[in-house]
C-alpha cells in the first residue's frame, strides 16, 4: 500500500548539507502496524514528514496505492492529505477550540454538512472514550486524553493510513499502554494501516507486527517484529534492545 | 472640584467625544489595513505558509519606514494627503488620516507578533489535514491568536489616544486641544489636572475592558 523507493532527503543549509535520508526503500502492507525505530537524529522524523507530505523528497518516490505522492500538487495534494491521518508527539490541538471542534476540524475543512459532522464526531469520541469531554477545552485534559483527541481528529476523514510520530513519548507508562491498546483496536476494527515512529522498543514490541530499524539515514534491518527482535543482526538493534554493543 | 467639573463638563465631554471619535475611527481603519499586512508578513516570512522573501522584505521596509517617523512630524508631512482625503486639515475628521497612517504599520507589527505566537506544530497539523493556506489563516492563525489580538487592540487604542492628544495640539480638537487651550494658554492648571484625570480614567477603563475581554475568550488557562 505504501512503497518508498530510493528516497533521499538532503537539507542544504548555508554552510553544509545534511543528508537526513539516504536511498531508503521500504514497503508497508495494508493492515500493518508498522514500527519505524531508531535513535534521535537517525532520520525517522524526516521519513515521516516525507510520508505525510510535509517535506518534499530530494529524490526518490513515495507511492501511496501506486500514486507518487511527492509529485502531487494543488488540489490532488490536499485530497491525498485527507486520506491520511497524522498524530504528533505534542498533540498539536487547537487550544482555543473545544474537543468537539478539534475532532470536527478536518471535516469542516472539506465542507462536510453539520449533521454528518455531529454524527461522526460523536462516534469518534465514543471510540476514544471521551464522549463526556466534548465541550471541554484541551487545556482541561491530561496528556493521554489530549492524545486521544488527536487520534479521534486524525481518524475523522476515514483515512486509509494513520501516521504516528512518537505518539506516546510524552506520556507515562500506564497512559502509553492505553493509547497503544486504542491504536491496536483501531487497526483491528477499522482496518487502518498504522505507521508508528518511535525510539521506544516497548512500543514496537507491544503492537507492531513489522518493524524497520533506521540508523544513520538508512534502514539497517526490517521484517516481522518477532524475527528482527529475536535475531538482531546489527549493533544498533542490539543497542535499542538494551544490549551493549559487541 | 465639583464646581469646576460642573463648569467645564460640557467642554470636557465634547473633547472626550472628539478624542474617542478620532481614536475609534483611526483604530478601525488601521486594523482594516494593518491586519492584512500583518497576515502577509507572517505568511511570507521564512518558514511561513507562503514563504516569499521579496514580498516580506518589501513590506517589512515600508512598515519600518512608516514606524520610524515621529507622529508630530508625520502629521505635518502628510498634510497634503490629509487635505486630499478629508477635504480639510483642521478638526477631528482630518486628524483621522495621519492617525491612520501612523497606526497601520504599528498594527501590522502587533498582528504579526500575535500570529507568530501560534504553535508551528498546530499549523503543520492543519496542513496535514488538507487545509488550504486561506483556511490556515482564518481558522488556525486568527482563531488561535484571538486573545493576543485583543490585547494588541488595547495597545493600539491607548497609543492612539496619546497620538490624538498630539493631533489635538495641532488643531484636531479633543482632550489634547483642551489641555493646550486652557492649561497652557490660559494658565488654568485646574482644568489641566481635570483633563489629565479624565484621560487616566478613560485609558484605565479601556485597558480593563480589553483585559477582561481577552481573559474571557482565552481557553488556554481554565
Amino acid at each position: 500500500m505504501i512503497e518508498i523507493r530510493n528516497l533521499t532527503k538532503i537539507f542544504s543549509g548555508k554552510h553544509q548539507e545534511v543528508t537526513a535520508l539516504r536511498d531508503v526503500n521500504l514497503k508497508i502492507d495494508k493492515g500493518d502496524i508498522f514500527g519505524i525505530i531508531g535513535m534521535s537524529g537517525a532520520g525517522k522524523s524526516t521519513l515521516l514528514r516525507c510520508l505525510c507530505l510535509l517535506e518534499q523528497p530530494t529524490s526518490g518516490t513515495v507511492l501511496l496505492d501506486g500514486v507518487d505522492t511527492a509529485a502531487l500538487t494543488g488540489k490532488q495534494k490536499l485530497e491525498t492529505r485527507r486520506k491520511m491521518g497524522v498524530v504528533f508527539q505534542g498533540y498539536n490541538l487547537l487550544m482555543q477550540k473545544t474537543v468537539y471542534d478539534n475532532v470536527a476540524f478536518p471535516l469542516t475543512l472539506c465542507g462536510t454538512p453539520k449533521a454528518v459532522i455531529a454524527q461522526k464526531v460523536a462516534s469518534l469520541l465514543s471510540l476514544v472514550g471521551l464522549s463526556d469531554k466534548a465541550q471541554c477545552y484541551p487545556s482541561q485534559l491530561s496528556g493521554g486524553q489530549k492524545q486521544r483527541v488527536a487520534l479521534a481528529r486524525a481518524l475523522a476523514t476515514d483515512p486509509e493510513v494513520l501516521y504516528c510520530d512518537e505518539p506516546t513519548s510524552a506520556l507515562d507508562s500506564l497512559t502509553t499502554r492505553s493509547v497503544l491498546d486504542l491504536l491496536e483496536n483501531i487497526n483491528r476494527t477499522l482496518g487502518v494501516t498504522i505507521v508508528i515512529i518511535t525510539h521506544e522498543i516497548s512500543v514496537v514490541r507491544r503492537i507492531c507486527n513489522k518493524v524497520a530499524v533506521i540508523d544513520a539515514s538508512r534502514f539497517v534491518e526490517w521484517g516481522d517484529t518477532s524475527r528482527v527482535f529475536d535475531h538482531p543482526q546489527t549493533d544498533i538493534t542490539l543497542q535499542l534492545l538494551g544490549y551493549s554493543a559487541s | 472640584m465639583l464646581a469646576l467639573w460642573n463648569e467645564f463638563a460640557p467642554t470636557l465631554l465634547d473633547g472626550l467625544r472628539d478624542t474617542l471619535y478620532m481614536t475609534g475611527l483611526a483604530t478601525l481603519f488601521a486594523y482594516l489595513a494593518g491586519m492584512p499586512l500583518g497576515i502577509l508578513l507572517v505568511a511570507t516570512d521564512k518558514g511561513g505558509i507562503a514563504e516569499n522573501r521579496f514580498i516580506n522584505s518589501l513590506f517589512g521596509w515600508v512598515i519600518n519606514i512608516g514606524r520610524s517617523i515621529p507622529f508630530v512630524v508625520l502629521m505635518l508631512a502628510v498634510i497634503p494627503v490629509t487635505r486630499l482625503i478629508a477635504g480639510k486639515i483642521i478638526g477631528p475628521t482630518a486628524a483621522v488620516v495621519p492617525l491612520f497612517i501612523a497606526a497601520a504599520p504599528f498594527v501590522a507589527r502587533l498582528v504579526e507578533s500575535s500570529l507568530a505566537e501560534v504553535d508551528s506544530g498546530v499549523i503543520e497539523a492543519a496542513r496535514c489535514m488538507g487545509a488550504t493556506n486561506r483556511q490556515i489563516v482564518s481558522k488556525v492563525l486568527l482563531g488561535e491568536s484571538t486573545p493576543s489580538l485583543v490585547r494588541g487592540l488595547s495597545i493600539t487604542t491607548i497609543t492612539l489616544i496619546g497620538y490624538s492628544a498630539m493631533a489635538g495640539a495641532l488643531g484636531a480638537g479633543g482632550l489634547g486641544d483642551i489641555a493646550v487651550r486652557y492649561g497652557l494658554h490660559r494658565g488654568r492648571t485646574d482644568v489641566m489636572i481635570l483633563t489629565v484625570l479624565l484621560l487616566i480614567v478613560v485609558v484605565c477603563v479601556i485597558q480593563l475592558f480589553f483585559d477582561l475581554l481577552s481573559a474571557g475568550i482565552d481557553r488556554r488557562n481554565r
Side-chain angles (χ1 to χ4, degrees), chain B residues 164-216:
Chain B
S164 81
M166 281 188 245
L170 294 173
L175 291 174
D177 177 47
I178 293 171
V180 170
R181 273 191 293 138
Y182 291 88
L184 186 70
H185 295 156
R186 297 186 201 172
R188 289 293 298 264
T189 312
D190 53 351
V191 180
M192 182 68 114
I193 292 169
L194 207 56
T195 312
V196 170
L197 286 176
L198 188 59
L199 276 167
I200 291 173
V201 170
V202 167
V203 168
C204 286
V205 167
I206 289 172
Q207 184 70 57
L208 188 69
F209 170 74
F210 282 116
D211 280 351
L212 289 174
L213 182 64
S214 172

Side-chain angles (χ1 to χ4, degrees), chain B:
Chain B
M1 195 72 184
L2 195 64
L4 186 73
W5 171 255
N6 284 337
E7 186 187 349
F8 283 98
T11 314
L12 284 168
L13 290 178
D14 269 1
L16 180 62
R17 194 199 58 218
D18 284 350
T19 294
L20 293 180
Y21 166 77
M22 280 187 273
T23 308
L25 217 53
T27 305
L28 178 71
F29 288 131
Y31 269 86
L32 287 178
M35 195 86 152
L37 263 176
I39 292 169
L40 187 76
L41 283 175
V42 170
T44 58
D45 196 10
K46 199 167 178 297
I49 54 174
E51 193 175 323
N52 186 323
R53 191 165 280 184
F54 175 73
I55 299 279
N56 190 267
S57 27
L58 178 73
F59 282 95
W61 274 104
V62 170
I63 287 166
N64 286 346
I65 291 168
R67 291 206 57 202
S68 58
I69 305 168
F71 180 69
V72 180
V73 179
L74 179 108
M75 199 178 163
L76 298 171
V78 301
I79 282 178
V81 183
T82 306
R83 200 191 308 272
L84 194 72
I85 296 174
K88 54 189 170 185
I89 60 167
I90 300 289
T93 304
V96 171
V97 178
L99 283 172
F100 155 73
I101 295 171
F106 180 74
V107 170
R109 286 291 183 213
L110 279 177
V111 170
E112 180 191 22
S113 80
S114 289
L115 299 191
E117 281 169 28
V118 176
D119 184 0
S120 60
V122 181
I123 299 166
E124 283 198 334
R127 189 162 286 286
C128 283
M129 291 175 230
T132 59
N133 281 348
R134 190 183 288 263
Q135 287 171 326
I136 288 178
V137 168
S138 65
K139 291 172 191 273
V140 182
L141 287 178
L142 294 177
E144 288 294 287
S145 63
T146 317
S148 175
L149 287 170
V150 168
R151 283 193 293 276
L153 181 58
S154 80
I155 297 175
T156 306
T157 312
I158 290 169
T159 304
L160 279 184
I161 287 180
Y163 283 0
S164 81
M166 281 188 245
L170 294 173
L175 291 174
D177 177 47
I178 293 171
V180 170
R181 273 191 293 138
Y182 291 88
L184 186 70
H185 295 156
R186 297 186 201 172
R188 289 293 298 264
T189 312
D190 53 351
V191 180
M192 182 68 114
I193 292 169
L194 207 56
T195 312
V196 170
L197 286 176
L198 188 59
L199 276 167
I200 291 173
V201 170
V202 167
V203 168
C204 286
V205 167
I206 289 172
Q207 184 70 57
L208 188 69
F209 170 74
F210 282 116
D211 280 351
L212 289 174
L213 182 64
S214 172
I217 59 174
D218 197 344
R219 308 299 183 188
R220 278 172 300 184
N221 311 307
R222 51 183 59 209

